[in-house]
């Protein structure tokens, strides 16, 4: 997968546009990841200093450069304000190469279906552009909202893959698992 083939990829849904992050998104990365509510179930993702948002942006940008895909910035079509982030990154789960589906949105965007809409667009994109890798979402058992997003995006519970994660026990939702 070449960078030139996918790096400029933008996604669009009925209400949302998703595009590759730029340095102008660092303030939004910090605002969303420093809000205790957005990282309640994933406290290791919480940022406390603006420099950490710059480092996170650099990791995201490096992934775009090396893989040709990554996390997108999510906005409404009619707004410049970042609602959140959604995308995929390659990783290993129980020795299996997978794509991890990530979504994190500002609390002001919660309860409006934006995360599910963006996650569905990213899931569809991944099935077309990275078809050989299973797609998973790691969700805390107490995070019912994130579970609903994973299901809306077409993933199903894969209890046999559940296990310890960075911030506690992970429930795994998956699509395209090998038979």
């Amino acid at each position: 997968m070449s960078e030139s083939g996918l790096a400029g990829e933008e996604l669009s849904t009925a209400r949302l546009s998703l595009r590759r992050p730029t340095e102008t998104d660092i303030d939004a990365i910090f605002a969303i990841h420093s809000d205790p509510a957005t990282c309640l179930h994933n406290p290791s993702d919480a940022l406390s200093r603006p420099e950490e948002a710059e480092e996170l942006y650099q990791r995201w940008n490096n992934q775009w450069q090396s893989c040709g895909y990554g996390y997108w910035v999510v906005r409404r079509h009619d707004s410049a304000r970042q609602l959140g982030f959604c995308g995929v990154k390659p990783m290993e789960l129980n020795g299996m190469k997978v794509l991890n589906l990530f979504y994190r949105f500002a609390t002001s965007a919660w309860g409006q279906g934006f995360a599910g809409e963006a996650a569905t667009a990213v899931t569809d994109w991944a099935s077309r552009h990275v078809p050989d890798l299973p797609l998973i979402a790691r969700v805390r058992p107490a995070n019912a909202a994130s579970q609903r997003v994973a299901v809306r995006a077409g993933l199903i519970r894969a209890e046999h893959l559940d296990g310890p994660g960075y911030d506690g026990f992970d429930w795994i939702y998956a699509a395209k698992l090998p038979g």
Side-chain angles (χ1 to χ4, degrees), residues 63 67 69 71 87-102 126 130-138 155 158 160-161 166 170 172-178:
Q63 182 192 321
C67 297
Y69 58 83
Y71 296 161
V88 290
K89 76 173 181 179
M91 62 172 285
E92 281 196 16
L93 178 71
N94 301 336
M96 175 177 45
K97 291 182 188 240
V98 298
L99 285 179
N100 183 69
L101 176 64
F102 169 85
V130 196
D132 297 337
L133 291 179
L135 183 67
I136 63 123
R138 299 170 296 152
L155 282 65
H160 66 288
L161 296 175
Y166 298 117
D170 284 336
I172 304 299
Y173 287 76
K176 303 186 306 181
L177 286 175

Side-chain angles (χ1 to χ4, degrees), residues 25-176:
D25 298 306
I26 292 173
D27 288 343
I29 292 170
F30 181 69
I32 291 171
H33 285 83
S34 65
D35 181 339
T38 66
C39 295
L40 177 67
H41 298 283
N42 300 85
S44 68
D45 289 349
L47 303 180
S48 58
R49 297 182 337 275
E51 300 79 36
E52 294 172 315
E54 293 174 28
E55 293 166 7
L56 183 56
Y57 163 74
Q58 283 303 324
R59 286 196 304 272
W60 291 0
N61 193 51
N62 290 343
Q63 182 192 321
W64 273 97
Q65 290 175 345
S66 66
C67 297
Y69 58 83
Y71 296 161
W72 283 269
V73 177
V74 181
R75 292 188 163 100
R76 282 170 115 6
H77 288 300
D78 59 357
S79 175
R81 186 173 61 95
Q82 302 94 332
L83 298 172
F85 310 97
C86 185
V88 290
K89 76 173 181 179
M91 62 172 285
E92 281 196 16
L93 178 71
N94 301 336
M96 175 177 45
K97 291 182 188 240
V98 298
L99 285 179
N100 183 69
L101 176 64
F102 169 85
Y103 36 90
R104 177 160 295 132
F105 283 74
T107 55
S108 61
W110 290 4
Q112 301 173 61
F114 295 135
E117 190 172 326
T120 299
V122 169
T123 298
D124 292 346
W125 180 92
S127 71
R128 289 189 316 275
H129 295 281
V130 196
D132 297 337
L133 291 179
L135 183 67
I136 63 123
R138 299 170 296 152
V139 181
R140 296 293 103 50
N143 194 345
S146 185
Q147 294 166 28
R148 287 189 298 273
V149 170
V151 169
R152 181 170 175 201
L155 282 65
I156 59 170
R157 279 283 282 124
E159 293 177 29
H160 66 288
L161 296 175
D162 292 353
Y166 298 117
D167 293 310
F169 197 76
D170 284 336
W171 279 6
I172 304 299
Y173 287 76
K176 303 186 306 181

Side-chain angles (χ1 to χ4, degrees), residues 13-25:
T13 70
R15 301 181 295 165
L16 305 174
S17 64
L18 289 75
R19 64 152 177 80
R20 180 179 175 169
T22 67
E23 288 182 352
T24 62
D25 298 306

